[in-house]
Amino acid sequence: MGRTGCRSTIPLVADASSNLLAARNQMAFTLGFHIVLASLGVAFPAMMLIAEWRGRKRDDAEALLLARRWSKVVAVTFAVGAVTGTVLSFEFGLLWPEFMRRFGGAFGIGFAIEGIFFFLEAIFIAIYIYGWDRLSPRAHLWSGVPIVLTGIGGAFSVIAANAWMNQPQGFSLGTDGTVTDVQPLDVIWNPATPYEFLHMLLAAYMVTGFLVASIYAVGMLRGRRDRYHRIGMAIPLCVAAIATPLQLFVGDTAARAVADDQPAKFAAIECIYKGGDDQTEYLGGICTDGKVKYAIGIPGLDSLLVGFSTDTDVTGLNQIPDNEEPPARTMLHLSFDTMVGIGTALMGLALWLGFLLWRRRTVPDGKWFLRAVSVSGAAAIVAMWCGWIVTEVGRQPWIVNGFMRTEDAVTKADGLWWVYAFTVSLYIALGVAAVLVVRTLARRWREDEGGEVPYGPHGEEPA
Amino acid sequence: MSKPDAAAATLWIGATLYAVFAGADFGAGFWQLPGLRGKDREAVRLRIERSVAPVWEANHVWLVFMLVILWTGFPDAFSAIFSTLYIPLALAALGIVLRGAAFAFGKVVEGNARRRAGVLFAVSSVLTPFFMGTAIGAIASGEVPAAGGGDPTASWTGPLSLLVGALFVASGAYLAAVFLVRDSWFAGELDNARHFSRCALGAAVVAGALAAAGIPVLHDDARFVYDGLTGPGLPLVIASLVCGLVALGLLVRAMRRGFTARISFLVRPAAVGAVVTVIWGSFVAQHPYLLPTSLTISDAAAPGATLTALLVVFGAAVVLVLPSLALLYTLSQRDALK
């Protein structure tokens, strides 16, 4: 499957392979949209709290103003993220009814736990925003802590559900193919949960940190080099710069775990056609006809990375049954390389920041540094998308690794391509509207006007 | 009570909270429809925004809660429902997206864009509960086979589905109007209180008429539920009727007195009671079925350990969420510190 999907006409009547591709596209697109908002929902509150803490502690009016404004952006992105997340809940049923029927009893547990965190986060965001003028400074700062914790808890429970699809355990299969004898704790604590969770949590902090910093860096490049912009860039950038080296370590560990636990996925992302020791690490290139073309090959490095020795045996695609090989291997390979490449570049940016802070003891504002920061946000998002392509496409043809094929899970409904086309148009319109709204907010703030946001008390905007 | 029954009860608790809070939320959108906003549109719009804003998101999560309980606790039912009723459910999801976008963005933009966002908010507030209602109607009339894959169009376009869809819209509008009367009165907005009282009366009459029209349709298309409602569920149906009449009586009395005296605090509980009793009436009426009469609660239930996990999570949610909600509510009622 896969390559024949881009047809010139949209099929009106469902057939299994066409539906499969449409449903996978739909899921990938809506998840890609949601994950950016979800990252902001997980990590932005921490930066908002750091700004408030600094503002209170040092009587820093600019930091306090930033915290107040960021809380409004958190409200808008959380409100939109809640909606795109609800859409994903519907899609589990609309697109994958067979998957849910057979595995919902195990797969769903993480989401049940997530429900609590999601609910608490919504409530405490509202409390925080209402509390600006209704709670004492100390109480208000504390009211933000549950937002940070519930964001982390929510990320953990959803990622645990995804990790379970990669490393399913904690159940038996009944005669009708549905799960029986579920052990909820084993489902949640499957082998992939720790590294997938940490990897995504750090990704959320990197995406948010670099993204927010990039907005203020652009402002500074346009001449708004006041203290407000400097702090606005410095806080998220420092958080992201701390997360980045941790991420390189966690990502490296995750890749080794994938090589052990999900050898087919690892073989596909590294384009290893023939298993064995002394594997070449290929950078870039196209995976075709049993070899990697146009790549930079470093002999033995792949084995070295997987097992700290060139003697390490690495599974190749030749050891995977033909009908269990992941599709679209060039895309997988390049996605993986792009993610690692961007991560490494962001590590360079973090080191650059550290060096400048060490030497000059002030927020850097050189033109090239600001330019680098201003593209870092988009780059971090691309890296995160690539990571999700690796983990999701790399698991194919399975929806539950080793237990259920994705083609057996998909709906038989008609018109999926139409729904997909409509969803893409709608989400693009929403995305454009979201950007315009945030820009409107920013412009109004520059003009020192007030403005209302969702959750906000009515008609209150002290500067 | 068996474990599957307990898990099903949490589903109905979620449905109750969703119907009351989100129903009123949808209803608030309904009263922003062009033509229903009365003489002083701006005052009506402001009142609705002020009443809806604080707890909007908290309302919304009950839906996610129900979906998660359904797919984790009753995967067979979830799959059967979604593989049959995907059209109304997709349209309801679309309504949720448009409504959320209109709400989140509408507060920030101004002028024409704000008006358009208001209309979009109103229209999607009607479509979302309507399509959800058609899905519930389809389930009640036995259009969802246990194995799923029922007729994608005929299943939810029968008379009962359309009636229940309309009833969902009307009862939300009724609840919202009653809430808004109280809010307006407390804010000293007597014109708004008068306006929303008329709205509440209108919605009550329409909802009552739809419910009455539903009796013969239920008898013909959903015999099991009909027998349940007229049998073991009858006390709850009567309670609903009494609650509805009490709320109406209190409103009429307040209108007669020109809103000079305090409105009885009973008006809200009575209006809410009218809706809640119907929802639990349906639980009693269709028991032991989740999908009458093709799939029972116990047949649809996930393995025991999963249900235990769900019930534990539900208990934790009650312990954690209720105090937090109370804190938010207290805070939203408190004046700003000066």
Side-chain angles (χ1 to χ4, degrees), chain A residues 95-116:
Chain A
L95 301 175
W96 316 106
E98 265 309 288
F99 165 52
M100 299 310 285
R101 187 179 69 78
R102 287 181 50 191
F103 293 96
F107 172 71
I109 294 170
F111 289 94
I113 300 169
E114 196 262 355
I116 302 184

Side-chain angles (χ1 to χ4, degrees), chain A residues 97 105 118 133-134 182 444 455, chain B residues 57 61 79 108 305-306 334 337:
Chain A
F118 175 54
D133 303 301
R134 289 173 168 82
V182 175
R444 237 181 261 161
Y455 304 109
Chain B
E57 204 58 64
V61 288
S79 173
V108 185
T306 302
R334 190 198 283 184
L337 300 169

